[in-house]
């Protein structure tokens, strides 16, 4: 029995779904990037994003944000009811897993942010991994205290 055009298209669609809808590359993906601007000028902003693992586990090593002079990865934690933050040198992204950088958890601190940035705008960010190509994306800018954009 011959496989016609619809059979071939169905097979391609199924392969794309099995590959995590990443075009079959097997690389990690990023989505939903946003930055909460600081309430006080000169203080750092916080960046958040959802990471989706590819075929192999990777480590997010850093972010580059042209609008910030320096970026640090951090983890928030609660100890005896007190919240604190500590810098971390990487974020592990498991194969096929999802890791969310979000308020109260892992995030990136953006230091010396360009004061011209305003809520409602966007800024570029590049995610740098240990064993995967860099991912460039736009992050939505949110007002101080603002919620994650929908």
């Amino acid at each position: 029995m011959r496989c016609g055009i619809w059979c071939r298209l169905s097979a391609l669609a199924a392969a794309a779904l099995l590959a995590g809808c990443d075009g079959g590359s097997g690389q990690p993906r990023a989505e939903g990037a946003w930055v909460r601007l600081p309430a006080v000028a000169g203080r750092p902003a916080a960046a958040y994003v959802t990471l989706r693992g590819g075929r192999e586990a990777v480590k997010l090593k850093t972010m580059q944000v042209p609008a910030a002079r320096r970026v640090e990865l951090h983890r928030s934690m609660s100890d005896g009811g007190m919240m604190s933050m500590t810098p971390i040198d990487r974020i592990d992204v498991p194969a096929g897993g999802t890791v969310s950088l979000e308020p109260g958890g892992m995030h990136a601190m953006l230091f010396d942010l360009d004061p011209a940035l305003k809520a409602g705008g966007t800024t570029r960010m590049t995610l740098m991994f240990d064993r995967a190509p860099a991912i460039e994306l736009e992050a939505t800018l949110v007002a101080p205290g603002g919620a994650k954009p929908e």
Side-chain angles (χ1 to χ4, degrees):
M1 182 166 112
R2 288 185 9 196
C3 186
I5 186 79
W6 295 113
C7 179
R8 287 187 197 109
L9 288 174
S10 295
L12 287 173
L17 285 172
L18 290 173
C21 299
D22 65 355
S25 72
Q27 299 298 329
R29 295 174 290 134
E31 58 192 41
W34 61 290
V35 172
R36 183 178 286 146
L37 297 170
V40 177
R43 301 290 299 164
Y48 310 102
V49 64
T50 299
L51 304 172
R52 303 210 185 272
R55 279 191 213 116
E56 297 181 10
V58 296
K59 297 172 185 353
L60 175 67
K61 298 299 281 182
T62 191
M63 285 185 196
Q64 295 176 345
V65 179
R69 190 168 306 206
R70 181 174 51 122
V71 178
E72 291 180 5
L73 299 176
H74 281 229
R75 178 185 314 272
S76 295
M77 58 195 105
S78 178
D79 184 20
M82 296 293 293
M83 289 297 292
S84 65
M85 254 188 319
T86 186
I88 55 177
D89 64 353
R90 71 181 187 287
I91 294 174
D92 295 324
V93 182
T98 299
V99 176
S100 295
L101 281 67
E102 56 191 18
M106 293 181 288
H107 58 280
M109 298 297 295
L110 311 181
F111 295 88
D112 299 320
L113 198 62
D114 181 345
L117 295 179
K118 303 291 180 213
T122 62
T123 191
R124 298 284 306 153
M125 72 171 47
T126 303
L127 310 178
M128 311 294 288
F129 298 90
D130 65 337
R131 297 177 325 176
I135 297 174
E136 293 186 24
L137 67 162
E138 291 284 323
T140 302
L141 301 173
V142 173
K148 175 181 179 177
E150 295 301 319

